[in-house]
Amino acid sequence: AQSVSQHNHHVILSEAASLELGCNYSYGGTVNLFWYVQYPGQHLQLLLKYFSGDPLVKGIKGFEAEFIKSKFSFNLRKPSVQWSDTAEYFCAVNSFSSNTGKLIFGQGTTLQVKP
Amino acid sequence: DAGVIQSPRHEVTEMGQEVTLRCKPISGHNSLFWYRQTMMRGLELLIYFNNNVPIDDSGMPEDRFSAKMPNASFSTLKIQPSEPRDSAVYFCASTLGSSSYNEQFFGPGTRLTVL
């Protein structure tokens, strides 16, 4: 069965620090990969997605993620975080071959940015 | 343009009572997903519909849970009888089409507390 693992459950950074959140998935076939963000009190929003092509994808608000197929990883990065990036971040995957919208989410990582 | 609408936003009920959560997907979207978010288990897919038909309900925890989608613009998730362990935030999401490329748009969620 597919699964998604996010290694960091709670990350605390100071403003301007660099961010990297880990995401690994288990599935042998072709996958589509997503990062969603949930700001306090709000619903989930899409940050970025990878389907094919350049493995380095850029999303909104200065976020980017790199797909490394050999490592089954899709880590999220941002060079310099802001207080407003405080939120919960979810990595998600679905199977290209299933051709459905069914997403499998990781447990989420809570990011707290100190001003 | 209205996003996914969920009601109620908050629900507090007593154990044994019936609870009905409602969702209106984005107009024109034909896939709808119900998720449950808890601290312990993260974000879990409960069931999803495509063109009003349930496609995968393997995530529904037990027979106390049921979901319907009588038409393209409305879905319900019912818990009967409710138990304290059902306390969670329940999200509804919709997509245009059923392929694995489609971004899911989430509603604001219903925070359910069962006393």
Side-chain angles (χ1 to χ4, degrees):
Chain A
Q2 295 178 58
S3 67
V4 178
S5 175
Q6 292 182 238
H7 323 296
N8 319 100
H9 297 294
H10 198 153
V11 174
I12 302 174
L13 295 173
S14 298
E15 275 195 313
S18 64
L19 169 72
E20 181 160 2
L21 302 182
C23 173
N24 286 89
Y25 63 92
S26 64
Y27 182 69
T30 302
V31 294
N32 297 321
L33 297 154
F34 305 79
W35 275 97
Y36 279 82
V37 61
Q38 186 178 23
Y39 297 104
Q42 297 188 26
H43 57 279
L44 276 81
Q45 305 169 44
L46 183 67
L47 260 184
L48 48 78
K49 58 190 176 185
Y50 173 79
F51 295 152
S52 64
D54 188 344
L56 185 63
V57 293
K58 295 190 183 299
I60 60 172
K61 303 186 181 185
F63 286 91
E64 63 180 30
E66 184 176 13
F67 170 53
I68 302 179
K69 188 174 181 180
S70 61
K71 295 184 178 180
F72 298 90
S73 70
F74 190 55
N75 292 355
L76 181 71
R77 299 195 293 247
K78 185 170 184 179
S80 176
V81 295
Q82 301 172 308
W83 177 78
S84 58
D85 293 325
T86 295
E88 191 158 14
Y89 293 81
F90 293 92
C91 181
V93 60
N94 70 14
S95 161
F96 172 78
S97 62
S98 73
N99 200 31
T100 72
K102 180 177 178 179
L103 288 175
I104 306 298
F105 281 88
Q107 287 284 81
T109 297
T110 300
L111 172 64
Q112 182 182 353
V113 180
K114 294 184 174 181
Chain B
D1 192 14
V4 176
I5 299 172
Q6 291 186 247
S7 64
R9 293 293 307 276
H10 301 273
E11 176 82 22
V12 180
T13 190
E14 293 187 345
M15 182 174 65
Q17 296 297 306
E18 176 182 301
V19 174
T20 299
L21 311 181
R22 297 172 177 80
C23 175
K24 177 178 169 55
I26 292 172
S27 178
H29 284 191
N30 60 350
S31 289
L32 184 140
F33 305 79
W34 281 102
Y35 292 90
R36 178 173 67 177
Q37 184 181 35
T38 61
M39 289 289 290
M40 290 296 294
R41 301 172 69 90
L43 200 62
E44 305 172 275
L45 177 66
L46 299 177
I47 185 172
Y48 78 92
F49 296 84
N50 181 241
N51 292 324
N52 312 337
V53 176
I55 302 300
D56 184 347
D57 65 355
S58 59
M60 295 286 262
E62 49 197 275
D63 291 345
R64 297 186 297 106
F65 285 69
S66 62
K68 294 182 180 179
M69 192 164 187
N71 57 62
S73 58
F74 183 65
S75 177
T76 59
L77 177 67
K78 184 179 292 187
I79 308 173
Q80 181 185 22
S82 58
E83 296 182 3
R85 60 192 169 121
D86 302 330
S87 297
V89 181
Y90 291 81
F91 288 101
C92 175
S94 70
T95 69
L96 176 62
S98 61
S99 90
S100 54
Y101 294 107
N102 297 325
E103 174 186 351
Q104 292 189 18
F105 293 84
F106 283 78
T110 295
R111 183 174 295 276
L112 173 65
T113 302
V114 183
L115 303 174

